[in-house]
Amino acid sequence: MSRSAAKPQRDAAPPSASQRHEVELIQRILKGEKELFFDLISPYQRSVYFAAYSVLNHEADAEEVAQEAFLKALANLRHFRAESKFSTWLVQIAINEARMRRRKDRKGLYESIDEPRQDDEGDYIPRDFSDWREIPSEALERKEVRDALAHALASLKPIYREVFVLRDVQDLSIAETAALLGIEESSVKTRLLRARLQMRDALAPGLGGAWSMTADPRKEKRFSS
Amino acid sequence: MNCEQARLLVSEYVDGEVAASTAASFERHLRGCSRCESLVKGTRNVARLASDPRAFSLPDGFSERLKDRIASSFAADGRIGVRLGIGKAVASRGDHIAYFWENERDFEIGVGFLEAGVRSGDAAFVFGHGKANARVLDVLRTHGHDCEALIRAKRLFVLDGSPAGQTMLANIGAAFQAAMEAGAGTLRLLGNLGWGKAGWPSDNGILDFEARVTEAAQQFPCVIVCMYDVHAVSGRVLLKGGFETHPFILHKLQVCENHHHVPTNRFLADLEHMEATERIQ
């Protein structure tokens, strides 16, 4: 099934009931019912937090930036135009805030990765397994599996983590991801490939038994190219 | 198709974005290559897991903290506030606030107003007499801020006084403009006025300036906090300057509406009348 094929249809569709509800909430908030703001943003807490996290790779900083992003959205709510998606608008604010934080607070630390070098997007040689032992969705009930995913995500470089979070965690289209990050769609595809392969490699060590619950340590070798 | 070519298509294939003819050739390769087949399975598995809401969840208590933060961000007048970085005090843009201090600790707490701005990307303005400005910068440095770098980045401005109130207003306006052009959203000015100091207006001149600042502040997305050293200034300056020219007072780490505030026009008229009376006497 193609996820991306379904997305343009979704984008072009007339406003859904929830979108109409959103527009109504926004109008009421602008007229003074500010207590409704939390109801408006509540469905997007996760998107905004992980967008910030993808840039900063630090839980506390991401939470603070997410809070700032929501407050900025509230302060600028009158500038929101209904023709764009509210969720996308929020995520864009979060990404901008997070990038600003990264530049300002951690200049020395992050300078070298703020602007990706071309060779960062080069080929990636994945680890070689003769087969992949499926990690079933039910395994996500286990904390160790969620921890392994979080660890794998944290191990990605920012340019790969940003694309992976928007595309795979938040299920945005290639075009939406490219627009939010201000990069070409071809770069989204290249980075996504590398992010997914690295995530796969980072999760693979658990395959010998931890996730699949069968003790079957596999041999590992590298692709020769 | 060899392994190297196949590897580049894995992600797009998983998303169903590979053209039919290429997909057929890719699938033929997979049938004979368990390593590439493993890449496809692993990639598909990773994408599916990541999109499951259980995979990545919010930190515990995130929603409650966000709710609190939103609720505490409304200023007294219901507008979206600026957190001052002093206790949980929140002000609105355009506010002119008096802060009375009497010891080292109070002074440091006051500088927290600028620190919060520096941390959140606002522009910070240190306005006052030389000794006070140096002291503010010392506090910032002690707290780990690179003042020189902030000044170069047009995020921290240091402004001295002048014998003419109008010149001071013009200097502040120009600095505000420069900060906004450099991308600042909110402007925070911390003032330590040079009452009785050389190179500053007379006390009445500073009172006139303070009254006009209340009006001028409304023109910018700024919050202005004036620090009053209760041991150093006269009772008259505290009464006229501290209380009558500031619509708000920062007291016990809260921004309170100041019922002693006198609207600018009336204050200036009173001041003129007072000066005329003093001249006659």
Side-chain angles (χ1 to χ4, degrees):
Chain A
M1 197 184 78
S2 162
R3 293 193 301 158
S4 55
K7 283 174 195 286
Q9 288 167 15
R10 187 192 66 186
D11 289 348
S16 64
S18 68
Q19 281 172 313
R20 285 198 302 274
H21 177 62
E22 236 167 53
V23 170
E24 189 195 313
L25 273 180
I26 291 171
Q27 284 164 353
R28 287 174 63 186
I29 293 163
L30 290 175
K31 282 181 188 155
E33 292 182 72
K34 298 227 169 67
E35 64 283 2
L36 295 176
F37 185 66
F38 189 77
D39 296 339
L40 175 70
I41 53 129
S42 195
Y44 309 117
Q45 294 178 71
R46 192 168 165 271
S47 313
V48 167
Y49 169 77
F50 278 103
Y53 178 82
S54 73
V55 177
L56 298 166
N57 202 16
H58 187 283
E59 280 194 15
D61 285 356
E63 177 162 347
E64 206 177 308
V65 162
Q67 289 182 352
E68 294 292 341
F70 283 124
L71 291 177
K72 205 160 197 174
L74 176 57
N76 291 292
L77 200 55
R78 64 186 181 285
H79 300 304
F80 170 69
R81 294 288 163 256
E83 56 263 28
S84 56
K85 268 164 59 184
F86 186 62
S87 56
T88 311
W89 186 66
L90 284 175
V91 168
Q92 185 74 72
I93 295 175
I95 288 173
N96 293 348
E97 288 286 304
R99 285 178 167 176
M100 199 163 38
R101 167 73 62 102
R102 186 172 66 190
R103 271 199 300 274
K104 284 175 179 168
D105 283 5
R106 303 183 171 188
K107 205 164 182 199
L109 188 60
Y110 282 103
E111 223 159 35
S112 61
I113 51 177
D114 225 10
E115 292 303 323
R117 296 186 305 275
Q118 193 57 40
D119 60 351
D120 276 338
E121 292 188 54
D123 199 8
Y124 173 70
I125 311 298
R127 292 164 72 179
D128 177 15
F129 313 116
S130 56
D131 64 12
W132 172 266
R133 203 166 284 264
E134 182 80 0
I135 305 172
S137 295
E138 299 75 56
L140 291 171
E141 297 291 344
R142 289 155 54 197
K143 187 173 180 300
E144 77 219 64
V145 177
R146 294 195 301 273
D147 287 348
L149 271 165
H151 193 257
L153 183 67
S155 73
L156 298 182
K157 279 190 171 185
I159 58 167
Y160 304 120
R161 191 169 47 243
E162 288 167 12
V163 167
F164 185 79
V165 164
L166 295 180
R167 177 79 179 119
D168 280 347
V169 178
Q170 309 205 7
D171 209 20
L172 298 179
S173 69
I174 299 264
E176 286 171 318
T177 305
L180 278 165
L181 295 175
I183 57 176
E184 298 291 327
E185 291 189 19
S186 56
S187 296
V188 172
K189 290 179 185 176
T190 317
R191 292 180 192 187
L192 184 64
L193 168 67
R194 180 143 167 188
R196 284 170 166 176
L197 292 177
Q198 284 185 323
M199 286 293 286
R200 165 194 176 271
D201 286 359
L203 288 170
L207 289 175
W211 319 143
S212 60
M213 290 186 241
T214 42
D216 180 21
R218 65 200 54 251
K219 283 180 190 164
E220 202 183 284
K221 50 191 187 217
R222 296 261 163 190
F223 270 106
S224 53
S225 51
Chain B
M1 186 177 290
N2 62 28
C3 289
E4 206 173 330
Q5 291 164 327
R7 196 165 65 231
L8 296 174
L9 289 172
V10 166
S11 186
E12 286 176 70
Y13 177 77
V14 164
D15 284 343
E17 285 174 350
V18 177
S21 57
T22 313
S25 148
F26 180 78
E27 281 159 7
R28 265 198 306 280
H29 174 81
L30 290 192
R31 280 195 288 277
C33 178
S34 60
R35 294 178 306 184
C36 284
E37 196 194 13
S38 148
L39 281 187
V40 170
K41 283 183 179 168
T43 302
R44 185 181 282 133
N45 197 179
V46 161
R48 185 176 43 71
L49 289 173
S51 67
D52 191 310
R54 291 172 293 184
F56 297 103
S57 48
L58 288 168
D60 288 343
F62 179 92
S63 294
E64 291 71 25
R65 290 190 293 276
L66 175 60
K67 225 174 196 170
D68 284 351
R69 179 78 194 273
I70 291 170
S72 67
S73 294
F74 294 116
D77 59 5
R79 283 185 287 160
I80 305 303
V82 175
R83 277 157 68 104
L84 295 189
I86 299 175
K88 288 190 170 176
V90 176
S92 287
R93 288 170 186 81
D95 283 355
H96 184 204
I97 304 164
Y99 171 63
F100 302 104
W101 66 277
E102 53 177 329
N103 56 40
E104 193 67 33
R105 173 91 188 113
D106 290 350
F107 189 90
E108 236 181 285
I109 289 172
V111 178
F113 166 62
L114 292 186
E115 275 198 275
V118 166
R119 276 201 304 273
S120 64
D122 295 346
F125 300 80
V126 184
F127 171 64
H129 59 89
K131 205 172 154 192
N133 283 359
R135 198 168 165 187
V136 171
L137 295 177
D138 275 350
V139 173
L140 289 173
R141 287 192 191 102
T142 309
H143 292 189
H145 300 284
D146 182 346
C147 292
E148 283 62 39
L150 289 168
I151 291 169
R152 279 197 302 277
K154 287 197 166 64
R155 293 179 52 216
L156 178 66
F157 295 78
V158 182
L159 307 170
D160 293 324
S162 149
Q166 283 302 335
T167 308
M168 296 197 290
L169 283 172
N171 289 346
I172 292 171
F176 278 7
Q177 206 63 48
M180 285 165 69
E181 279 162 18
T186 302
L187 317 169
R188 296 169 179 247
L189 184 141
L190 187 67
N192 283 283
L193 302 174
W195 301 99
K197 305 262 182 215
W200 284 75
S202 65
D203 281 2
N204 280 354
I206 299 183
L207 288 175
D208 178 284
F209 165 79
E210 276 278 57
R212 292 179 197 277
V213 163
T214 301
E215 300 283 299
Q218 312 276 330
Q219 317 302 316
F220 290 95
C222 68
V223 177
I224 296 180
V225 174
C226 295
M227 296 181 70
Y228 277 76
D229 178 354
V230 297
H231 294 302
V233 297
S234 69
R236 178 171 179 268
V237 164
L238 275 184
L239 176 65
K240 296 293 206 192
F243 283 102
E244 294 192 3
T245 64
H246 297 87
F248 297 94
I249 295 213
L250 187 56
H251 183 61
K252 302 281 182 207
L253 309 181
Q254 297 276 352
V255 176
C256 318
E257 208 176 321
N258 170 22
H259 298 291
H260 301 281
H261 173 243
V262 178
T264 302
N265 285 343
R266 215 184 92 200
F267 181 89
L268 292 175
D270 288 353
L271 190 63
E272 202 175 328
H273 177 72
M274 209 160 48
E275 282 183 319
T277 313
E278 281 166 4
R279 275 198 298 273
I280 292 165
Q281 285 169 350

